[in-house]
Amino acid sequence: MNKIAVFPGSFDPITLGHVDIVRRAAKIFDEVIVAVGVNSQKKYLYSLDHRLDMLEAVFSSDDKVSVDHFKGLTVNYCKEKAAHFLLRGIRSSGDFDYEKTISQLNHVIGDELETVFLITRPEYSFISSTIVREIIKGKGDVSAFVPAEVNSMLNI
Amino acid sequence: MNKIAVFPGSFDPITLGHVDIVRRAAKIFDEVIVAVGVNSQKKYLYSLDHRLDMLEAVFSSDDKVSVDHFKGLTVNYCKEKAAHFLLRGIRSSGDFDYEKTISQLNHVIGDELETVFLITRPEYSFISSTIVREIIKGKGDVSAFVPAEVNSMLNI
Amino acid sequence: MNKIAVFPGSFDPITLGHVDIVRRAAKIFDEVIVAVGVNSQKKYLYSLDHRLDMLEAVFSSDDKVSVDHFKGLTVNYCKEKAAHFLLRGIRSSGDFDYEKTISQLNHVIGDELETVFLITRPEYSFISSTIVREIIKGKGDVSAFVPAEVNSMLNI
Amino acid sequence: MNKIAVFPGSFDPITLGHVDIVRRAAKIFDEVIVAVGVNSQKKYLYSLDHRLDMLEAVFSSDDKVSVDHFKGLTVNYCKEKAAHFLLRGIRSSGDFDYEKTISQLNHVIGDELETVFLITRPEYSFISSTIVREIIKGKGDVSAFVPAEVNSMLNI
Amino acid sequence: MNKIAVFPGSFDPITLGHVDIVRRAAKIFDEVIVAVGVNSQKKYLYSLDHRLDMLEAVFSSDDKVSVDHFKGLTVNYCKEKAAHFLLRGIRSSGDFDYEKTISQLNHVIGDELETVFLITRPEYSFISSTIVREIIKGKGDVSAFVPAEVNSMLNI
Amino acid sequence: MNKIAVFPGSFDPITLGHVDIVRRAAKIFDEVIVAVGVNSQKKYLYSLDHRLDMLEAVFSSDDKVSVDHFKGLTVNYCKEKAAHFLLRGIRSSGDFDYEKTISQLNHVIGDELETVFLITRPEYSFISSTIVREIIKGKGDVSAFVPAEVNSMLNI
């Protein structure tokens, strides 16, 4: 049976930190699905289509990585995909408390869905989509924080 | 290539929390080595041989789990075993800061050795070998905290 | 003099975690008032009336527990009720920093109002009203997270 | 039935932070027992007798406070005293993770023994027995950190 | 070359905690610029002009302190002012994770802009502009939390 | 008046993380004293003389940096040196709680001695003397963690 992991997020936009987590996880699992969670009540800087295009551009030559999107609860999407693993990156102990809560919840409501954590590498630990968006709004340079493919797709 | 994970620890004694992490990891990896790290400067409640016996008793019918021990740096032991993954359980954000440091270090000195984290389930989150030892010394009952096989091996 | 504790919150909706804290506190105090704080700038999933009905349904047979609501500062409500104690549950160290700040503030502005903390039991530590609301919005099952009386009152 | 709380510790020596927690708790409970836990493997700066003398000196006029000592597990001592509550002060989120673990453990092994937490007041939050001992060893002045009765008993 | 530090914030309104950090920093640096960051998407309780007036009133007799405002990224403002230092106060470990991320980011995007941290004194550790605003909205007394000059300027 | 900062520690041995903090602080202060605190009850891997030699080798061409050692309380040493500032590096929120306590204490017992904090850069955040010592004991390579001058002085 294939070991499939789902890496859920907004990816608004995807950062080098995300890419690192996905590629490290691809050595553990048979398949990693980078899945954009769609929340109609949230405002995004980039449209869903544009975010999916960015993800496709980044992972086009990663055999074990695919790109998708979903609505509703993450646990339901995982069931649908027969994925038994959730993949999450953690940067700090602040992240940890939140991730712990969500992982324990998903284990209960998701038929023993298992969350696997990788810790963000030091050089990416201060990068987040939130911060990248702030710099983009302030007309700053984010080329050190996003993949080259994405950097050329930031103006919309 | 087999995906091998090493789960290092003192296991003085092994707890239900450890067992849970190992069995959940056995669904991710092809092989999990529960490896007792030997530190000649540390004092243990149980001898190395007794701890190994306890581990063998617990995991005797887990196909993908083996028991071993090692001296020196964990990264060297992993290289020797061709294990590319370290397995760790985290209980709290206090654990997290320590584990983060060690995992980043091992990545640098261990040829990209990858540490994979699972979060301890809520019902085991307050169990640690330290606490179990304190209760044993205080003549208390630890049957709710260690595997049944181990509970019968605590008097030495 | 009666020892009265106020347990303030939004209770949108009340969870099993809240119920556990209230019932444990009822062994310490002579009276526990579960008090819905009304904030006109916040959006709620359930109306104030519906939340009060839920609370009444849950605590109808708890002698020492009463249900109420208030506007404005919690410290003023406590003075009005002659309650010298605030009751709070803490789940994680992330909660702790926030609760510490508020408790020290209330002590200063509330005539030495004392905040008493109980730590959420492990099995409820990943439950919060926020998470319950997300599951409800996603059409998931929350019967493991809210009291039976409340579970039948969630559709409105 | 009397509501009795045990406040366990080493009190080597007692600080103003401890005194504050005990006196605030005396407004909640009918009786607070300040109980020195005796651990034969630990080294103390002051002898058990001297620490008990210090505690008696501090609390001699607090009606609801008594002083005692015990060996073995705290939960057993509480049972013996018919105390259903443990009292603990927390200073920081670092303390919190430790206290959470111990309180959840005591709840399980101590017949639902309930731990009640008060947060240390800001002005005492940097005081600990460890720090007071370091200053005493360095011949510094600790009169701002310990009760006046204790300050005159520090030379032994 | 003058050592200039920028202390950025919303100051909505300035608190005694802010004042303490600025005055302590004035002993380290040759000049401290208290700079109101203007974010058109944020809602403030007090207008920019009123906040600047409050700051001027507080620091009018502090020789080394000046008051200013800026739009856009903090790092760009620092370059413009030839300030090589950012000044930040930290209250708790919760603050710390956030401040760490931002300081590491600013170091990368700000030409080695250095962030210097002072820890808030215990007596101010529970004061924040957010809390002060809540009390003001609730018609409470904040005279213990803001400078006297500011307390008389709160009604607008 | 010269602005003097003391950077106290064991430096057993000094790491690249320490060097980074000292050199960044040398841009803030007129003088930085790297001061080895001598504690007769602690066991060290390297002798005091050897640690001082290492420090001299590292900082020999840093004009504003000097090397020294002291016994007793840090605050007393600072007074003796007319240093009004303590310098500390912080790596994680775990460090933070400890450093906060010590800084608030030193402020009280040290005549308003001010502690200034710099956050360790990401690439050094997992390096500590404790970890370096463990690797040295395990015969591993620490050349990526200590200054080149020190790496050649590790065998004694």
Side-chain angles (χ1 to χ4, degrees):
Chain A
M1 196 188 61
N2 258 13
K3 285 165 188 162
I4 305 174
V6 166
F7 187 49
S10 294
F11 305 108
D12 187 31
I14 186 168
T15 68
L16 286 174
H18 294 132
V19 176
D20 180 53
I21 295 289
V22 170
R23 293 209 169 120
R24 287 158 62 195
K27 295 181 184 165
I28 305 174
F29 299 102
D30 299 311
E31 189 183 339
V32 178
I33 306 176
V34 181
V36 182
V38 177
N39 182 336
S40 60
Q41 303 187 341
K42 246 191 178 177
K43 285 187 184 171
Y44 298 100
L45 186 59
Y46 297 102
S47 72
L48 174 62
D49 281 350
H50 198 68
R51 282 179 282 150
L52 289 169
D53 287 349
M54 286 172 170
L55 292 171
E56 295 284 4
V58 173
F59 295 115
S60 59
S61 36
D62 292 75
D63 281 358
K64 299 164 84 178
V65 180
S66 63
V67 170
D68 196 8
H69 68 282
F70 67 99
K71 278 189 190 171
L73 296 181
T74 307
V75 293
N76 292 342
Y77 176 72
C78 291
K79 271 181 219 172
E80 194 186 299
K81 289 285 163 181
H84 297 297
F85 304 98
L86 263 182
L87 171 66
R88 299 292 295 164
I90 309 192
R91 281 169 303 196
S92 70
S93 57
D95 282 4
F96 177 79
D97 277 329
Y98 174 79
E99 294 291 344
K100 180 181 172 181
T101 302
I102 299 298
S103 77
Q104 292 177 338
L105 173 80
N106 284 335
H107 197 263
V108 170
I109 68 173
D111 288 348
E112 308 227 324
L113 180 67
E114 183 72 79
T115 307
V116 172
F117 294 92
L118 300 180
I119 292 184
T120 307
R121 290 197 189 157
E123 61 268 37
Y124 301 132
S125 64
F126 56 86
I127 305 178
S128 70
S129 291
T130 307
I131 280 175
V132 166
R133 283 198 304 274
E134 286 307 303
I135 302 176
I136 290 172
K137 287 178 195 167
K139 314 287 181 200
D141 175 12
V142 298
S143 60
F145 307 137
V146 300
E149 299 88 343
V150 167
N151 198 42
S152 64
M153 299 172 73
L154 295 175
N155 295 315
I156 42 172
Chain B
M1 195 188 64
N2 258 13
K3 284 167 189 161
I4 306 173
V6 166
F7 186 49
S10 294
F11 305 108
D12 187 31
I14 187 167
T15 68
L16 286 175
H18 294 133
V19 175
D20 178 53
I21 295 287
V22 169
R23 293 206 171 124
R24 287 158 61 196
K27 295 180 184 165
I28 306 173
F29 298 103
D30 298 311
E31 188 182 340
V32 178
I33 306 175
V34 181
V36 182
V38 177
N39 182 337
S40 61
Q41 302 186 343
K42 247 188 177 177
K43 285 188 184 170
Y44 299 99
L45 186 59
Y46 297 101
S47 72
L48 174 62
D49 281 350
H50 199 68
R51 283 179 282 150
L52 289 169
D53 286 350
M54 287 171 169
L55 292 170
E56 295 285 4
V58 174
F59 295 114
S60 59
S61 37
D62 293 75
D63 281 356
K64 298 165 84 180
V65 180
S66 63
V67 170
D68 195 7
H69 68 282
F70 69 98
K71 278 189 190 171
L73 296 179
T74 307
V75 292
N76 292 341
Y77 175 72
C78 290
K79 273 181 218 173
E80 194 185 298
K81 288 286 165 180
H84 297 298
F85 303 98
L86 264 181
L87 172 66
R88 299 293 292 165
I90 309 192
R91 281 168 302 195
S92 69
S93 57
D95 282 4
F96 177 79
D97 277 330
Y98 174 79
E99 294 291 344
K100 179 182 175 182
T101 301
I102 298 298
S103 77
Q104 293 178 338
L105 174 79
N106 284 335
H107 197 262
V108 170
I109 68 173
D111 289 348
E112 309 227 325
L113 181 67
E114 183 72 78
T115 308
V116 172
F117 294 92
L118 300 179
I119 291 184
T120 308
R121 291 197 187 157
E123 61 267 37
Y124 300 133
S125 65
F126 57 85
I127 306 177
S128 70
S129 292
T130 306
I131 280 174
V132 166
R133 284 196 305 275
E134 286 307 304
I135 302 175
I136 291 171
K137 288 177 194 168
K139 313 286 179 202
D141 175 11
V142 299
S143 60
F145 308 138
V146 300
E149 301 88 340
V150 167
N151 198 41
S152 64
M153 298 172 73
L154 294 174
N155 295 314
I156 41 172
Chain C
M1 196 187 62
N2 256 15
K3 285 167 190 162
I4 306 173
V6 166
F7 187 48
S10 294
F11 306 107
D12 186 32
I14 187 168
T15 68
L16 286 175
H18 294 132
V19 175
D20 179 52
I21 295 288
V22 170
R23 294 210 169 120
R24 286 157 64 195
K27 295 181 185 164
I28 305 173
F29 299 102
D30 298 311
E31 187 182 341
V32 178
I33 306 175
V34 182
V36 183
V38 178
N39 182 338
S40 61
Q41 303 187 341
K42 248 189 174 177
K43 286 186 184 172
Y44 298 100
L45 186 60
Y46 297 101
S47 72
L48 174 62
D49 280 350
H50 199 68
R51 283 180 281 149
L52 289 169
D53 285 351
M54 288 172 168
L55 291 170
E56 296 283 4
V58 174
F59 295 114
S60 60
S61 38
D62 293 76
D63 281 356
K64 298 165 85 179
V65 181
S66 62
V67 171
D68 195 8
H69 68 282
F70 69 99
K71 279 188 191 171
L73 297 179
T74 307
V75 292
N76 291 342
Y77 176 72
C78 290
K79 271 180 221 173
E80 195 185 296
K81 288 285 165 181
H84 297 299
F85 304 98
L86 263 181
L87 171 66
R88 301 291 293 164
I90 308 192
R91 281 168 304 196
S92 70
S93 57
D95 283 3
F96 177 79
D97 277 329
Y98 174 78
E99 293 291 344
K100 179 182 172 180
T101 300
I102 299 299
S103 76
Q104 292 177 339
L105 173 79
N106 284 335
H107 197 263
V108 170
I109 68 174
D111 288 349
E112 309 230 321
L113 179 67
E114 184 71 79
T115 308
V116 172
F117 295 92
L118 300 180
I119 292 184
T120 308
R121 291 198 187 158
E123 62 268 36
Y124 301 133
S125 64
F126 55 86
I127 306 177
S128 70
S129 292
T130 307
I131 280 175
V132 167
R133 283 197 305 273
E134 286 307 304
I135 302 175
I136 291 172
K137 288 178 194 168
K139 314 283 181 204
D141 174 12
V142 298
S143 59
F145 308 137
V146 300
E149 300 88 341
V150 167
N151 197 43
S152 63
M153 299 172 73
L154 294 175
N155 295 314
I156 41 171
Chain D
M1 194 187 63
N2 258 13
K3 285 166 189 162
I4 305 174
V6 167
F7 187 49
S10 294
F11 305 107
D12 187 31
I14 187 168
T15 67
L16 286 175
H18 295 131
V19 176
D20 179 53
I21 294 289
V22 170
R23 294 211 169 120
R24 287 157 62 194
K27 295 181 184 165
I28 305 173
F29 299 102
D30 298 311
E31 187 182 341
V32 178
I33 306 175
V34 181
V36 182
V38 177
N39 182 337
S40 61
Q41 302 187 342
K42 248 189 176 178
K43 284 187 184 171
Y44 298 99
L45 185 60
Y46 297 101
S47 71
L48 174 61
D49 280 351
H50 199 67
R51 283 180 281 150
L52 289 169
D53 286 350
M54 287 172 169
L55 291 170
E56 296 284 5
V58 173
F59 295 113
S60 58
S61 37
D62 293 76
D63 280 357
K64 298 164 86 179
V65 181
S66 63
V67 171
D68 196 7
H69 68 282
F70 68 99
K71 279 189 190 171
L73 297 179
T74 307
V75 293
N76 292 341
Y77 176 72
C78 290
K79 272 181 220 174
E80 194 185 297
K81 288 286 165 179
H84 298 296
F85 303 98
L86 264 182
L87 171 66
R88 300 291 294 164
I90 309 191
R91 281 168 303 195
S92 69
S93 57
D95 282 4
F96 177 79
D97 277 331
Y98 174 80
E99 294 291 343
K100 179 182 173 180
T101 301
I102 299 298
S103 77
Q104 292 177 338
L105 174 80
N106 284 334
H107 197 263
V108 170
I109 69 175
D111 288 348
E112 309 230 321
L113 179 67
E114 183 73 78
T115 308
V116 171
F117 295 92
L118 300 180
I119 291 185
T120 308
R121 291 197 187 158
E123 61 267 36
Y124 299 133
S125 65
F126 55 85
I127 305 177
S128 69
S129 292
T130 307
I131 280 175
V132 166
R133 284 197 304 274
E134 287 307 304
I135 302 175
I136 290 171
K137 288 178 194 167
K139 312 287 180 203
D141 175 12
V142 298
S143 58
F145 309 137
V146 300
E149 300 88 340
V150 167
N151 198 41
S152 64
M153 299 171 74
L154 295 174
N155 295 313
I156 42 173
Chain E
M1 197 186 64
N2 257 15
K3 284 165 189 162
I4 305 174
V6 166
F7 187 50
S10 294
F11 305 108
D12 186 32
I14 187 167
T15 68
L16 285 175
H18 295 132
V19 176
D20 179 51
I21 296 287
V22 169
R23 293 208 171 123
R24 287 157 62 194
K27 294 181 183 164
I28 306 174
F29 299 103
D30 299 311
E31 189 182 338
V32 177
I33 305 175
V34 181
V36 182
V38 177
N39 183 336
S40 61
Q41 303 187 342
K42 247 189 178 177
K43 285 188 184 169
Y44 298 99
L45 185 59
Y46 297 101
S47 72
L48 174 61
D49 280 350
H50 199 68
R51 283 179 282 149
L52 289 170
D53 286 351
M54 287 172 170
L55 291 170
E56 295 284 3
V58 173
F59 295 115
S60 59
S61 39
D62 291 75
D63 281 356
K64 299 165 85 179
V65 180
S66 63
V67 170
D68 197 8
H69 68 283
F70 68 98
K71 280 188 189 170
L73 297 179
T74 307
V75 292
N76 292 341
Y77 176 72
C78 290
K79 273 181 217 171
E80 194 186 298
K81 288 286 165 182
H84 297 298
F85 304 98
L86 266 180
L87 172 66
R88 300 291 294 164
I90 309 191
R91 280 168 302 196
S92 70
S93 58
D95 282 4
F96 177 79
D97 277 331
Y98 174 78
E99 294 291 342
K100 180 182 174 181
T101 301
I102 298 298
S103 76
Q104 292 177 339
L105 174 80
N106 284 335
H107 197 263
V108 170
I109 68 173
D111 289 348
E112 309 228 324
L113 181 67
E114 183 73 78
T115 308
V116 171
F117 295 92
L118 300 180
I119 291 184
T120 307
R121 291 198 187 156
E123 62 267 36
Y124 301 133
S125 65
F126 56 85
I127 306 177
S128 70
S129 292
T130 306
I131 280 174
V132 166
R133 283 197 304 274
E134 287 307 304
I135 302 175
I136 290 172
K137 287 178 196 169
K139 313 285 181 204
D141 174 11
V142 298
S143 59
F145 308 138
V146 300
E149 301 88 342
V150 167
N151 198 41
S152 63
M153 299 171 73
L154 294 174
N155 295 315
I156 41 172
Chain F
M1 195 187 65
N2 258 14
K3 285 165 189 162
I4 305 174
V6 166
F7 186 50
S10 294
F11 306 106
D12 187 32
I14 186 167
T15 68
L16 286 175
H18 294 132
V19 176
D20 179 53
I21 295 289
V22 170
R23 293 209 170 121
R24 286 158 62 195
K27 294 180 184 166
I28 305 174
F29 298 104
D30 299 311
E31 190 182 337
V32 177
I33 305 176
V34 181
V36 183
V38 177
N39 182 336
S40 62
Q41 302 187 341
K42 248 189 176 178
K43 283 186 185 172
Y44 300 99
L45 185 59
Y46 297 103
S47 72
L48 174 62
D49 281 350
H50 199 67
R51 283 179 281 150
L52 289 169
D53 286 350
M54 287 171 169
L55 292 171
E56 295 284 5
V58 173
F59 295 114
S60 60
S61 36
D62 293 76
D63 281 357
K64 298 164 85 178
V65 180
S66 63
V67 171
D68 197 7
H69 68 282
F70 68 98
K71 279 189 191 169
L73 297 179
T74 306
V75 292
N76 292 342
Y77 176 71
C78 290
K79 272 180 219 173
E80 195 185 299
K81 289 285 164 181
H84 297 297
F85 304 98
L86 264 181
L87 172 65
R88 299 292 294 166
I90 309 193
R91 280 168 304 196
S92 69
S93 57
D95 282 3
F96 177 78
D97 277 329
Y98 174 77
E99 294 290 344
K100 179 182 173 181
T101 301
I102 299 298
S103 77
Q104 292 177 338
L105 173 80
N106 284 334
H107 197 264
V108 170
I109 69 173
D111 289 348
E112 309 228 322
L113 180 67
E114 183 73 79
T115 307
V116 172
F117 294 92
L118 299 180
I119 291 185
T120 307
R121 292 198 186 155
E123 61 268 37
Y124 300 133
S125 64
F126 56 84
I127 306 177
S128 70
S129 292
T130 307
I131 280 175
V132 166
R133 283 198 304 274
E134 286 308 302
I135 302 175
I136 291 171
K137 288 178 194 167
K139 312 286 181 203
D141 175 11
V142 298
S143 59
F145 308 137
V146 300
E149 300 88 340
V150 166
N151 197 42
S152 64
M153 298 172 73
L154 294 175
N155 295 314
I156 41 170

